[in-house]
Amino acid sequence: MAVRTQVKFYYDVLSPYAWFGFEALCRYQKPWDLDLQLRPINLGKIKKESGNISPGPCADVFKGSLFFPDVQRTSEMMELPYKPLKDFEESVFIKGSLPTQKTLAACQILYPDNMEELTRQSWLGLYSHDMDMTDKGNILQFAEAAQIPDVDKLLEFSVGNEAKQQLISNTTEALESKCFGAPWFMVTNPKTGRREKFFGQDRVEMLGWVLGKEYVGHHPSQ
């Protein structure tokens, strides 16, 4: 029996680039027989511990001049329904995503089969509908759209210590692998046993090269 390729994907819904990387890997799950394991992290903690400066428009005027058009182009290329936030600084740097990330960590424990769709609905909430990632009512909508078996149980669990510790564990695991941003993913090659690390949404083609798999663009199903 063939061994599937394990891919651990570390992400925070605050990053639009992580969304693009997530969707790219999801599209190649079946063609490349990937065992995609989603790991929500605290991106603020990652950046603080690694000393990385955010590429967002508020951190550096030169990087910022490219940020918005680059995200727009990437979303159009991948045919994802991205819409610019009305107030990027408030949504990303002030409000953040901690309650949503804790809910995703709770889902990782309680309903791992629903992780992919809850992750997707959370990103759609932020970058398609400009929804507050700290609002309980919004998170409830994400969970319902993802068809979580017991939404109330998930939300109650997400504010408990176990979900908090899971998020901390994911973040620590990422830091120990020298993660400095998102998306970050680690791949165990089933043929060689070697662990490869990748940063960025544009590394999926390189992943295919490493695994000896054919990359056929952003829409392999077409």
Side-chain angles (χ1 to χ4, degrees), residues 159-203:
V159 297
N161 188 62
E162 196 170 348
K164 176 182 177 181
Q165 290 303 316
Q166 183 64 62
L167 186 62
I168 291 173
S169 176
N170 293 342
T171 304
T172 301
E173 185 176 89
L175 284 168
E176 288 176 347
S177 70
K178 308 302 181 183
C179 173
F180 53 86
W184 178 265
F185 51 107
M186 295 193 300
V187 180
T188 302
N189 191 319
K191 294 182 179 179
T192 64
R194 182 177 176 180
R195 189 175 70 170
E196 307 277 359
K197 304 174 187 177
F198 299 86
F199 171 72
Q201 90 289 348
D202 54 353
R203 293 298 186 266

Side-chain angles (χ1 to χ4, degrees), residues 97-199:
S97 62
L98 193 55
T100 295
Q101 293 300 103
K102 286 182 178 179
T103 304
L104 287 165
C107 189
Q108 180 184 343
I109 297 170
L110 296 178
Y111 307 113
D113 291 342
N114 296 85
M115 275 291 287
E116 180 180 326
E117 193 56 33
L118 181 58
T119 296
R120 179 173 292 108
Q121 292 301 326
S122 299
W123 258 311
L124 289 171
L126 179 60
Y127 284 116
S128 287
H129 304 292
D130 203 357
M131 298 171 74
D132 185 350
M133 293 292 102
T134 66
D135 184 88
K136 183 178 179 180
N138 291 343
I139 297 173
L140 174 67
Q141 289 187 48
F142 307 153
E144 290 176 340
Q147 298 184 333
I148 298 297
D150 190 332
V151 173
D152 292 334
K153 180 180 179 180
L154 177 70
L155 295 185
E156 182 179 354
F157 194 86
S158 71
V159 297
N161 188 62
E162 196 170 348
K164 176 182 177 181
Q165 290 303 316
Q166 183 64 62
L167 186 62
I168 291 173
S169 176
N170 293 342
T171 304
T172 301
E173 185 176 89
L175 284 168
E176 288 176 347
S177 70
K178 308 302 181 183
C179 173
F180 53 86
W184 178 265
F185 51 107
M186 295 193 300
V187 180
T188 302
N189 191 319
K191 294 182 179 179
T192 64
R194 182 177 176 180
R195 189 175 70 170
E196 307 277 359
K197 304 174 187 177
F198 299 86
F199 171 72

